Amino acid sequence: MKPVASPFFFPFLLQFSLVILHFSVGDSSGPSYGEALSKSIMFFEGQRSGFLPNDQRMNWRGNSALGDGSADNVDLTGGYYDAGDNVKFGFPMAFTTTMLAWSVIEFGEMMPPAELRNALVAIRWATDYLLKTVAQPERIYVQVGDPIKDHNCWERPEDMDTDRTVYKVDAPNPASDVAGETAAALAAASMAFRSSDPAYSQTLLTTATRVFDFADTYRGAYSDNTDVRNGACPFYCDYDGYQDELLWGAAWLRRASGNENYLSYIQNNAKPLGADDNINEFGWDNKHAGLNVLVSKEVLEGNVYSLELYKASAESFMCTLMPNASTHIEYSPGGLIFRPGGSNLQHSTAITFLMLVYAKYLEQSSTSVNCGDVSVGSAYLRGLAKRQVDYILGENPMGMSYMVGYGTRYPQRIHHRGSSLPSVWNHPKPIQCKEGTVYFNSSNPNPNVLIGAVVGGPEEDDKYDDERADSRKSEPTTYINAPFVGVLAYFTANRS
Ligand SMILES: *[C@@H]1O[C@H](CO)[C@@H](O)[C@H](O)[C@H]1NC(C)=O
Ligand SMILES: *[C@@H]1O[C@H](CO)[C@@H](O)[C@H](O)[C@H]1NC(C)=O
Protein backbone atom coordinates (compact mmCIF):
# COMPACT_ATOMS: atom_id res chain seq x y z
CA MET A 1 0.00 0.00 0.00
CA LYS A 2 2.83 2.42 -0.64
CA PRO A 3 2.04 5.33 -2.89
CA VAL A 4 4.95 5.53 -5.30
CA ALA A 5 4.34 9.22 -5.64
CA SER A 6 6.31 10.12 -2.57
CA PRO A 7 10.03 10.36 -3.13
CA PHE A 8 10.49 9.89 0.59
CA PHE A 9 10.93 6.21 1.16
CA PHE A 10 10.97 4.72 4.62
CA PRO A 11 11.88 1.06 4.61
CA PHE A 12 9.09 -0.81 6.32
CA LEU A 13 11.17 -1.96 9.25
CA LEU A 14 12.50 1.48 9.96
CA GLN A 15 9.02 2.94 9.88
CA PHE A 16 7.82 0.20 12.19
CA SER A 17 10.56 0.75 14.71
CA LEU A 18 9.92 4.50 14.72
CA VAL A 19 6.31 3.85 15.59
CA ILE A 20 7.24 1.57 18.47
CA LEU A 21 9.77 4.06 19.77
CA HIS A 22 7.25 6.86 19.67
CA PHE A 23 4.65 4.80 21.41
CA SER A 24 6.97 4.30 24.32
CA VAL A 25 7.77 7.99 24.74
CA GLY A 26 4.28 9.15 23.78
CA ASP A 27 2.67 8.89 27.19
CA SER A 28 5.02 11.11 29.10
CA SER A 29 5.86 13.74 26.50
CA GLY A 30 2.93 15.45 24.93
CA PRO A 31 0.13 14.38 22.65
CA SER A 32 -0.40 10.92 21.27
CA TYR A 33 -0.21 11.81 17.60
CA GLY A 34 -0.78 8.25 16.42
CA GLU A 35 -4.06 8.01 18.29
CA ALA A 36 -5.14 11.41 16.96
CA LEU A 37 -4.23 10.34 13.42
CA SER A 38 -6.35 7.24 13.66
CA LYS A 39 -9.29 9.23 15.00
CA SER A 40 -8.93 12.04 12.45
CA ILE A 41 -9.49 9.47 9.69
CA MET A 42 -12.30 7.66 11.49
CA PHE A 43 -14.25 10.95 11.60
CA PHE A 44 -14.97 10.62 7.88
CA GLU A 45 -17.06 7.51 8.53
CA GLY A 46 -19.43 9.66 10.57
CA GLN A 47 -19.91 11.99 7.58
CA ARG A 48 -20.72 9.23 5.12
CA SER A 49 -23.81 9.50 2.97
CA GLY A 50 -25.31 6.49 1.18
CA PHE A 51 -25.23 2.79 1.84
CA LEU A 52 -22.80 1.92 4.64
CA PRO A 53 -20.53 -1.12 4.36
CA ASN A 54 -20.26 -3.92 6.93
CA ASP A 55 -16.94 -2.66 8.22
CA GLN A 56 -18.37 0.75 9.16
CA ARG A 57 -16.69 1.61 12.48
CA MET A 58 -18.71 4.72 13.40
CA ASN A 59 -21.45 2.33 14.34
CA TRP A 60 -24.16 4.72 15.55
CA ARG A 61 -24.71 5.76 11.92
CA GLY A 62 -27.03 4.06 9.39
CA ASN A 63 -27.78 4.27 5.67
CA SER A 64 -29.02 7.61 4.40
CA ALA A 65 -29.94 9.50 1.25
CA LEU A 66 -30.24 6.32 -0.82
CA GLY A 67 -32.35 8.14 -3.40
CA ASP A 68 -29.89 10.96 -4.06
CA GLY A 69 -29.87 11.79 -7.77
CA SER A 70 -33.29 10.30 -8.46
CA ALA A 71 -34.69 13.81 -8.98
CA ASP A 72 -32.59 13.83 -12.17
CA ASN A 73 -32.70 10.08 -12.90
CA VAL A 74 -29.06 9.53 -11.99
CA ASP A 75 -27.25 7.81 -9.14
CA LEU A 76 -25.67 10.38 -6.84
CA THR A 77 -25.59 8.26 -3.70
CA GLY A 78 -22.49 8.30 -1.52
CA GLY A 79 -20.02 11.04 -0.73
CA TYR A 80 -19.81 13.09 2.45
CA TYR A 81 -21.99 15.57 4.30
CA ASP A 82 -19.81 18.64 4.64
CA ALA A 83 -20.36 19.42 8.32
CA GLY A 84 -23.17 19.22 10.89
CA ASP A 85 -25.94 19.23 8.29
CA ASN A 86 -27.04 16.73 5.67
CA VAL A 87 -26.27 18.52 2.40
CA LYS A 88 -23.67 17.30 -0.08
CA PHE A 89 -21.87 20.39 -1.33
CA GLY A 90 -19.57 19.50 -4.22
CA PHE A 91 -17.14 22.42 -3.90
CA PRO A 92 -15.89 21.75 -0.36
CA MET A 93 -16.20 17.97 -0.86
CA ALA A 94 -13.78 18.12 -3.78
CA PHE A 95 -11.37 20.31 -1.77
CA THR A 96 -11.59 17.87 1.16
CA THR A 97 -10.69 15.06 -1.22
CA THR A 98 -7.71 16.93 -2.64
CA MET A 99 -6.40 17.54 0.87
CA LEU A 100 -6.86 13.94 1.99
CA ALA A 101 -5.02 12.79 -1.13
CA TRP A 102 -2.26 15.37 -0.65
CA SER A 103 -1.90 14.15 2.94
CA VAL A 104 -1.30 10.62 1.66
CA ILE A 105 1.02 11.75 -1.14
CA GLU A 106 3.35 13.67 1.18
CA PHE A 107 3.00 11.76 4.45
CA GLY A 108 1.39 8.39 3.65
CA GLU A 109 4.76 6.68 4.05
CA MET A 110 4.82 7.90 7.63
CA MET A 111 1.44 6.41 8.52
CA PRO A 112 1.21 3.00 10.15
CA PRO A 113 0.08 0.67 7.32
CA ALA A 114 -3.40 0.18 8.79
CA GLU A 115 -3.96 3.95 8.88
CA LEU A 116 -2.70 4.37 5.34
CA ARG A 117 -5.34 1.84 4.31
CA ASN A 118 -8.01 3.72 6.27
CA ALA A 119 -6.96 6.98 4.66
CA LEU A 120 -7.27 5.47 1.19
CA VAL A 121 -10.74 4.17 2.07
CA ALA A 122 -11.69 7.70 3.17
CA ILE A 123 -10.45 9.14 -0.13
CA ARG A 124 -12.23 6.52 -2.17
CA TRP A 125 -15.55 7.22 -0.46
CA ALA A 126 -15.25 10.71 -1.92
CA THR A 127 -13.75 9.87 -5.32
CA ASP A 128 -16.38 7.21 -6.05
CA TYR A 129 -18.95 9.96 -5.56
CA LEU A 130 -17.03 12.61 -7.49
CA LEU A 131 -16.77 10.20 -10.44
CA LYS A 132 -20.58 9.98 -10.43
CA THR A 133 -20.88 13.78 -10.52
CA VAL A 134 -18.86 13.96 -13.74
CA ALA A 135 -20.00 10.73 -15.39
CA GLN A 136 -21.71 12.64 -18.21
CA PRO A 137 -19.56 14.74 -20.55
CA GLU A 138 -19.92 18.53 -20.32
CA ARG A 139 -22.01 18.28 -17.17
CA ILE A 140 -21.18 18.39 -13.48
CA TYR A 141 -23.49 17.77 -10.55
CA VAL A 142 -22.40 20.30 -7.94
CA GLN A 143 -24.73 19.68 -4.98
CA VAL A 144 -27.45 17.43 -3.61
CA GLY A 145 -29.92 18.74 -1.02
CA ASP A 146 -31.87 21.97 -0.58
CA PRO A 147 -29.81 23.72 2.09
CA ILE A 148 -32.53 26.09 3.31
CA LYS A 149 -34.96 23.26 3.97
CA ASP A 150 -32.22 21.07 5.41
CA HIS A 151 -30.96 23.76 7.78
CA ASN A 152 -34.50 24.49 8.90
CA CYS A 153 -34.70 20.99 10.40
CA TRP A 154 -32.70 19.22 13.08
CA GLU A 155 -32.89 15.71 11.64
CA ARG A 156 -30.67 12.66 11.52
CA PRO A 157 -29.39 11.89 8.04
CA GLU A 158 -31.14 8.51 8.30
CA ASP A 159 -34.54 10.27 8.72
CA MET A 160 -33.96 13.08 6.29
CA ASP A 161 -37.11 13.94 4.34
CA THR A 162 -36.35 17.43 3.06
CA ASP A 163 -35.93 18.03 -0.68
CA ARG A 164 -32.88 16.36 -2.15
CA THR A 165 -32.72 18.90 -4.94
CA VAL A 166 -30.06 18.12 -7.50
CA TYR A 167 -27.97 21.07 -8.71
CA LYS A 168 -25.99 20.73 -11.93
CA VAL A 169 -24.14 22.82 -14.48
CA ASP A 170 -24.27 21.98 -18.20
CA ALA A 171 -21.92 23.40 -20.82
CA PRO A 172 -21.69 26.06 -22.09
CA ASN A 173 -22.52 27.31 -18.59
CA PRO A 174 -19.29 27.42 -16.60
CA ALA A 175 -18.25 25.71 -13.37
CA SER A 176 -14.50 26.36 -13.48
CA ASP A 177 -14.27 26.40 -9.69
CA VAL A 178 -16.03 23.12 -8.84
CA ALA A 179 -14.79 21.38 -11.99
CA GLY A 180 -11.24 22.70 -11.45
CA GLU A 181 -11.27 21.51 -7.84
CA THR A 182 -12.79 18.17 -8.87
CA ALA A 183 -10.02 17.74 -11.46
CA ALA A 184 -7.47 18.52 -8.73
CA ALA A 185 -9.09 15.99 -6.39
CA LEU A 186 -9.17 13.22 -8.99
CA ALA A 187 -5.60 13.90 -10.12
CA ALA A 188 -4.26 13.98 -6.56
CA ALA A 189 -6.20 10.81 -5.70
CA SER A 190 -4.77 9.11 -8.80
CA MET A 191 -1.34 9.55 -7.20
CA ALA A 192 -2.52 8.23 -3.84
CA PHE A 193 -3.87 5.04 -5.50
CA ARG A 194 -1.08 4.52 -8.01
CA SER A 195 0.56 1.56 -6.32
CA SER A 196 -2.39 0.00 -4.50
CA ASP A 197 -4.92 0.14 -7.36
CA PRO A 198 -3.37 1.10 -10.70
CA ALA A 199 -6.59 0.63 -12.69
CA TYR A 200 -8.57 2.91 -10.40
CA SER A 201 -5.70 5.39 -10.44
CA GLN A 202 -5.82 5.47 -14.24
CA THR A 203 -9.58 6.02 -14.25
CA LEU A 204 -9.16 8.93 -11.86
CA LEU A 205 -6.43 10.53 -13.96
CA THR A 206 -8.26 10.12 -17.27
CA THR A 207 -11.41 11.59 -15.76
CA ALA A 208 -9.46 14.46 -14.20
CA THR A 209 -8.12 15.38 -17.64
CA ARG A 210 -11.62 15.53 -19.12
CA VAL A 211 -13.06 17.47 -16.18
CA PHE A 212 -10.24 20.00 -16.37
CA ASP A 213 -11.03 20.59 -20.06
CA PHE A 214 -14.62 21.35 -19.08
CA ALA A 215 -13.43 23.74 -16.37
CA ASP A 216 -11.06 25.56 -18.71
CA THR A 217 -13.15 25.63 -21.89
CA TYR A 218 -16.16 27.30 -20.27
CA ARG A 219 -14.74 29.82 -17.85
CA GLY A 220 -16.69 31.27 -14.96
CA ALA A 221 -18.01 30.66 -11.46
CA TYR A 222 -20.62 27.97 -10.82
CA SER A 223 -22.49 30.20 -8.42
CA ASP A 224 -23.09 32.83 -11.10
CA ASN A 225 -25.61 30.33 -12.47
CA THR A 226 -29.04 31.33 -11.13
CA ASP A 227 -30.26 27.77 -10.48
CA VAL A 228 -27.10 26.87 -8.64
CA ARG A 229 -26.82 30.14 -6.73
CA ASN A 230 -30.04 29.42 -4.86
CA GLY A 231 -28.51 26.23 -3.50
CA ALA A 232 -24.84 27.05 -3.10
CA CYS A 233 -25.08 30.58 -1.75
CA PRO A 234 -24.40 31.87 0.78
CA PHE A 235 -22.93 28.59 2.02
CA TYR A 236 -20.36 27.60 -0.56
CA CYS A 237 -20.67 30.40 -3.07
CA ASP A 238 -17.55 31.07 -5.09
CA TYR A 239 -16.63 34.37 -3.43
CA ASP A 240 -13.05 34.36 -4.50
CA GLY A 241 -13.15 33.74 -8.24
CA TYR A 242 -12.57 30.60 -10.30
CA GLN A 243 -9.10 31.45 -11.63
CA ASP A 244 -7.26 29.83 -8.73
CA GLU A 245 -9.04 26.51 -9.26
CA LEU A 246 -7.92 26.50 -12.92
CA LEU A 247 -4.27 26.89 -11.91
CA TRP A 248 -4.73 24.43 -9.03
CA GLY A 249 -6.36 21.81 -11.27
CA ALA A 250 -3.63 22.20 -13.88
CA ALA A 251 -0.89 22.06 -11.23
CA TRP A 252 -2.27 18.79 -9.87
CA LEU A 253 -2.58 17.35 -13.37
CA ARG A 254 1.01 18.36 -14.03
CA ARG A 255 2.14 16.62 -10.86
CA ALA A 256 0.04 13.50 -11.42
CA SER A 257 0.74 13.05 -15.13
CA GLY A 258 4.08 14.78 -15.68
CA ASN A 259 2.46 16.16 -18.83
CA GLU A 260 4.26 19.18 -20.29
CA ASN A 261 1.02 20.74 -21.50
CA TYR A 262 -0.03 21.37 -17.92
CA LEU A 263 3.41 22.75 -17.17
CA SER A 264 2.97 25.23 -20.02
CA TYR A 265 -0.50 26.04 -18.73
CA ILE A 266 0.68 27.00 -15.25
CA GLN A 267 3.63 28.91 -16.71
CA ASN A 268 1.65 30.85 -19.29
CA ASN A 269 -1.34 31.52 -17.06
CA ALA A 270 0.47 32.45 -13.86
CA LYS A 271 0.00 36.19 -14.45
CA PRO A 272 -3.28 36.16 -16.42
CA LEU A 273 -4.99 33.96 -13.81
CA GLY A 274 -3.45 35.81 -10.86
CA ALA A 275 -1.18 33.23 -9.22
CA ASP A 276 0.26 36.04 -7.10
CA ASP A 277 -3.10 37.40 -5.86
CA ASN A 278 -4.29 36.78 -2.28
CA ILE A 279 -1.27 34.63 -1.66
CA ASN A 280 -1.80 34.33 2.08
CA GLU A 281 -5.07 32.41 1.85
CA PHE A 282 -5.80 28.71 1.65
CA GLY A 283 -9.13 26.95 2.06
CA TRP A 284 -12.11 25.52 0.19
CA ASP A 285 -12.63 28.79 -1.73
CA ASN A 286 -9.12 30.17 -2.11
CA LYS A 287 -6.33 27.89 -3.25
CA HIS A 288 -3.46 30.35 -3.66
CA ALA A 289 -1.08 29.49 -0.82
CA GLY A 290 -1.54 25.77 -1.51
CA LEU A 291 -1.05 26.27 -5.22
CA ASN A 292 2.18 28.19 -4.65
CA VAL A 293 3.54 25.54 -2.30
CA LEU A 294 2.58 22.73 -4.67
CA VAL A 295 4.24 24.33 -7.70
CA SER A 296 7.32 25.41 -5.74
CA LYS A 297 8.37 21.78 -5.52
CA GLU A 298 9.36 21.85 -9.16
CA VAL A 299 11.41 25.00 -8.73
CA LEU A 300 13.12 23.69 -5.59
CA GLU A 301 13.99 20.50 -7.44
CA GLY A 302 15.72 22.73 -9.96
CA ASN A 303 13.87 21.34 -12.94
CA VAL A 304 11.96 24.32 -14.13
CA TYR A 305 12.78 27.97 -13.77
CA SER A 306 9.81 29.75 -15.29
CA LEU A 307 7.70 29.08 -12.21
CA GLU A 308 9.55 31.53 -9.99
CA LEU A 309 6.43 33.59 -9.39
CA TYR A 310 4.90 30.67 -7.49
CA LYS A 311 7.99 30.09 -5.38
CA ALA A 312 8.36 33.77 -4.54
CA SER A 313 4.70 33.84 -3.42
CA ALA A 314 5.08 30.66 -1.36
CA GLU A 315 8.16 32.10 0.37
CA SER A 316 6.47 35.38 1.05
CA PHE A 317 3.62 33.43 2.65
CA MET A 318 6.00 31.37 4.80
CA CYS A 319 7.61 34.59 6.04
CA THR A 320 4.24 35.94 7.23
CA LEU A 321 3.90 32.91 9.53
CA MET A 322 6.81 34.03 11.74
CA PRO A 323 5.03 35.49 14.77
CA ASN A 324 7.72 38.18 15.12
CA ALA A 325 7.88 39.21 11.44
CA SER A 326 7.01 42.83 10.69
CA THR A 327 3.84 41.80 8.82
CA HIS A 328 2.59 38.52 10.08
CA ILE A 329 -0.64 36.57 10.28
CA GLU A 330 -2.69 36.90 13.41
CA TYR A 331 -2.14 34.55 16.34
CA SER A 332 -4.35 34.37 19.42
CA PRO A 333 -2.65 35.12 22.77
CA GLY A 334 -2.49 31.36 23.31
CA GLY A 335 -0.69 30.89 19.98
CA LEU A 336 -3.41 29.74 17.61
CA ILE A 337 -3.47 30.95 14.01
CA PHE A 338 -6.56 33.08 13.80
CA ARG A 339 -8.65 34.45 10.95
CA PRO A 340 -12.05 36.09 11.30
CA GLY A 341 -15.13 34.38 9.89
CA GLY A 342 -15.80 31.36 12.07
CA SER A 343 -14.67 27.76 11.76
CA ASN A 344 -11.21 29.07 12.54
CA LEU A 345 -9.45 25.73 12.88
CA GLN A 346 -9.81 25.20 9.14
CA HIS A 347 -7.14 27.89 8.76
CA SER A 348 -4.88 26.41 11.40
CA THR A 349 -4.98 22.87 10.00
CA ALA A 350 -4.62 23.90 6.34
CA ILE A 351 -1.77 26.35 7.00
CA THR A 352 -0.03 23.88 9.31
CA PHE A 353 -0.18 21.31 6.52
CA LEU A 354 1.45 23.79 4.12
CA MET A 355 4.23 24.53 6.65
CA LEU A 356 5.08 20.83 6.87
CA VAL A 357 4.95 20.31 3.11
CA TYR A 358 7.17 23.32 2.48
CA ALA A 359 9.54 22.18 5.22
CA LYS A 360 9.79 18.82 3.46
CA TYR A 361 10.56 20.44 0.10
CA LEU A 362 13.15 22.75 1.71
CA GLU A 363 14.83 19.82 3.42
CA GLN A 364 14.91 17.76 0.23
CA SER A 365 16.55 20.60 -1.63
CA SER A 366 18.83 21.58 1.30
CA THR A 367 17.69 25.15 1.20
CA SER A 368 15.84 27.73 3.27
CA VAL A 369 13.67 30.81 2.85
CA ASN A 370 15.07 34.31 3.18
CA CYS A 371 12.70 36.48 5.18
CA GLY A 372 14.47 39.83 5.25
CA ASP A 373 17.57 39.29 7.37
CA VAL A 374 16.32 36.01 8.75
CA SER A 375 16.68 32.62 7.16
CA VAL A 376 13.75 30.27 7.80
CA GLY A 377 14.47 26.59 7.41
CA SER A 378 12.57 23.35 7.70
CA ALA A 379 13.19 22.96 11.45
CA TYR A 380 11.72 26.38 12.19
CA LEU A 381 8.59 25.70 10.10
CA ARG A 382 8.12 22.34 11.79
CA GLY A 383 8.38 24.01 15.17
CA LEU A 384 5.62 26.44 14.21
CA ALA A 385 3.53 23.55 12.91
CA LYS A 386 3.98 21.55 16.10
CA ARG A 387 2.74 24.50 18.13
CA GLN A 388 -0.55 24.50 16.16
CA VAL A 389 -1.06 20.75 16.45
CA ASP A 390 -0.32 20.68 20.15
CA TYR A 391 -2.71 23.59 20.69
CA ILE A 392 -5.50 21.72 18.90
CA LEU A 393 -4.83 18.55 20.87
CA GLY A 394 -4.99 20.25 24.27
CA GLU A 395 -2.00 22.51 24.98
CA ASN A 396 -4.05 25.70 25.06
CA PRO A 397 -5.49 28.15 27.61
CA MET A 398 -8.75 26.15 27.94
CA GLY A 399 -6.77 22.98 28.53
CA MET A 400 -9.05 21.11 26.18
CA SER A 401 -8.67 19.07 23.05
CA TYR A 402 -10.60 20.36 20.05
CA MET A 403 -10.75 16.86 18.61
CA VAL A 404 -13.87 15.00 19.72
CA GLY A 405 -13.08 11.73 21.48
CA TYR A 406 -9.42 12.60 21.98
CA GLY A 407 -7.97 13.48 25.40
CA THR A 408 -9.77 13.86 28.70
CA ARG A 409 -11.62 17.12 27.91
CA TYR A 410 -13.11 17.68 24.50
CA PRO A 411 -16.27 19.30 23.01
CA GLN A 412 -19.42 17.52 24.19
CA ARG A 413 -22.11 19.55 22.40
CA ILE A 414 -20.95 19.79 18.84
CA HIS A 415 -23.23 21.35 16.23
CA HIS A 416 -23.93 18.15 14.37
CA ARG A 417 -27.34 16.64 13.74
CA GLY A 418 -26.38 12.97 13.73
CA SER A 419 -24.15 13.26 16.78
CA SER A 420 -26.68 15.20 18.88
CA LEU A 421 -29.82 13.14 18.16
CA PRO A 422 -30.31 9.61 19.50
CA SER A 423 -28.87 6.94 17.24
CA VAL A 424 -31.26 5.16 14.88
CA TRP A 425 -30.28 1.93 16.65
CA ASN A 426 -31.43 3.23 20.05
CA HIS A 427 -34.39 5.19 18.76
CA PRO A 428 -35.64 3.57 15.56
CA LYS A 429 -38.77 5.72 15.35
CA PRO A 430 -38.18 8.65 12.97
CA ILE A 431 -37.57 12.04 14.57
CA GLN A 432 -39.24 14.62 12.36
CA CYS A 433 -37.88 18.01 11.34
CA LYS A 434 -39.01 20.06 14.34
CA GLU A 435 -39.05 17.15 16.79
CA GLY A 436 -35.29 17.43 16.77
CA THR A 437 -35.36 20.91 18.32
CA VAL A 438 -35.62 19.57 21.85
CA TYR A 439 -32.31 17.77 21.31
CA PHE A 440 -30.79 20.84 19.69
CA ASN A 441 -31.84 22.95 22.68
CA SER A 442 -30.72 20.45 25.29
CA SER A 443 -27.65 21.23 27.38
CA ASN A 444 -26.87 17.52 27.65
CA PRO A 445 -23.78 16.14 25.96
CA ASN A 446 -24.34 14.64 22.49
CA PRO A 447 -25.25 10.96 22.78
CA ASN A 448 -23.11 9.85 19.81
CA VAL A 449 -19.41 10.59 19.87
CA LEU A 450 -18.25 11.72 16.43
CA ILE A 451 -14.76 10.39 17.05
CA GLY A 452 -11.99 12.45 15.54
CA ALA A 453 -14.08 15.45 14.52
CA VAL A 454 -12.15 18.69 14.88
CA VAL A 455 -14.56 21.54 15.63
CA GLY A 456 -14.41 25.15 14.43
CA GLY A 457 -12.63 25.93 17.69
CA PRO A 458 -12.00 29.05 19.74
CA GLU A 459 -11.73 32.51 18.30
CA GLU A 460 -9.14 35.19 18.94
CA ASP A 461 -9.62 35.13 22.71
CA ASP A 462 -8.81 31.38 23.02
CA LYS A 463 -12.21 30.83 24.68
CA TYR A 464 -14.55 27.95 23.93
CA ASP A 465 -18.04 27.63 25.41
CA ASP A 466 -19.07 24.20 24.11
CA GLU A 467 -22.51 25.32 22.94
CA ARG A 468 -24.35 23.44 20.22
CA ALA A 469 -26.02 26.60 18.91
CA ASP A 470 -22.68 28.33 18.31
CA SER A 471 -21.91 26.69 15.00
CA ARG A 472 -18.96 28.99 14.33
CA LYS A 473 -17.12 27.26 17.15
CA SER A 474 -18.81 23.91 17.68
CA GLU A 475 -19.37 22.62 14.15
CA PRO A 476 -16.89 20.18 12.61
CA THR A 477 -16.26 20.16 8.85
CA THR A 478 -14.56 17.72 6.52
CA TYR A 479 -12.09 20.37 5.37
CA ILE A 480 -10.86 21.04 8.90
CA ASN A 481 -9.94 17.37 9.26
CA ALA A 482 -8.61 16.57 5.79
CA PRO A 483 -5.28 18.47 5.98
CA PHE A 484 -4.96 17.49 9.64
CA VAL A 485 -4.64 13.86 8.56
CA GLY A 486 -1.35 14.67 6.82
CA VAL A 487 -0.14 16.81 9.71
CA LEU A 488 -0.80 14.05 12.24
CA ALA A 489 0.88 11.48 10.02
CA TYR A 490 4.02 13.60 10.03
CA PHE A 491 4.07 13.98 13.82
CA THR A 492 3.24 10.30 14.36
CA ALA A 493 6.54 9.44 12.73
CA ASN A 494 8.55 12.52 13.83
CA ARG A 495 7.87 14.11 17.15
CA SER A 496 9.50 17.39 16.16
C1 LIG B 1 12.05 35.70 15.10
O1 LIG B 1 12.35 34.66 16.00
C2 LIG B 1 13.20 33.66 15.47
C3 LIG B 1 13.25 32.51 16.45
O2 LIG B 1 13.43 32.96 17.76
C4 LIG B 1 14.57 34.28 15.22
O3 LIG B 1 15.44 33.31 14.69
C5 LIG B 1 14.40 35.42 14.24
O4 LIG B 1 15.60 36.09 14.09
C6 LIG B 1 13.31 36.40 14.65
N1 LIG B 1 13.00 37.24 13.52
C7 LIG B 1 12.87 38.55 13.59
C8 LIG B 1 12.46 39.24 12.33
O5 LIG B 1 13.10 39.17 14.60
C1 LIG C 1 -35.77 25.83 21.94
O1 LIG C 1 -35.16 27.04 22.32
C2 LIG C 1 -35.76 28.18 21.75
C3 LIG C 1 -34.91 29.39 22.09
O2 LIG C 1 -34.58 29.39 23.44
C4 LIG C 1 -37.19 28.30 22.26
O3 LIG C 1 -37.83 29.41 21.68
C5 LIG C 1 -37.95 27.03 21.87
O4 LIG C 1 -39.26 27.05 22.44
C6 LIG C 1 -37.22 25.79 22.34
N1 LIG C 1 -37.91 24.62 21.75
C7 LIG C 1 -37.98 23.43 22.33
C8 LIG C 1 -38.77 22.38 21.61
O5 LIG C 1 -37.44 23.18 23.38
mmCIF file of all heavy atoms in Angstrom, residues 31 65 408:
data_model
loop_
_atom_site.group_PDB
_atom_site.id
_atom_site.type_symbol
_atom_site.label_atom_id
_atom_site.label_comp_id
_atom_site.label_asym_id
_atom_site.label_seq_id
_atom_site.Cartn_x
_atom_site.Cartn_y
_atom_site.Cartn_z
ATOM 1 N N PRO A 31 1.272 15.074 23.237
ATOM 2 C CA PRO A 31 0.133 14.384 22.650
ATOM 3 C C PRO A 31 0.480 13.031 22.036
ATOM 4 O O PRO A 31 1.615 12.783 21.643
ATOM 5 C CB PRO A 31 -0.326 15.350 21.554
ATOM 6 C CG PRO A 31 0.267 16.665 21.895
ATOM 7 C CD PRO A 31 1.530 16.372 22.621
ATOM 8 N N ALA A 65 -29.937 8.853 2.566
ATOM 9 C CA ALA A 65 -29.943 9.502 1.248
ATOM 10 C C ALA A 65 -29.738 8.502 0.108
ATOM 11 O O ALA A 65 -28.971 8.760 -0.823
ATOM 12 C CB ALA A 65 -28.892 10.619 1.201
ATOM 13 N N THR A 408 -8.817 14.004 27.595
ATOM 14 C CA THR A 408 -9.772 13.860 28.696
ATOM 15 C C THR A 408 -10.873 14.911 28.634
ATOM 16 O O THR A 408 -11.970 14.698 29.128
ATOM 17 C CB THR A 408 -9.053 13.938 30.055
ATOM 18 O OG1 THR A 408 -8.204 15.078 30.032
ATOM 19 C CG2 THR A 408 -8.226 12.692 30.305
#
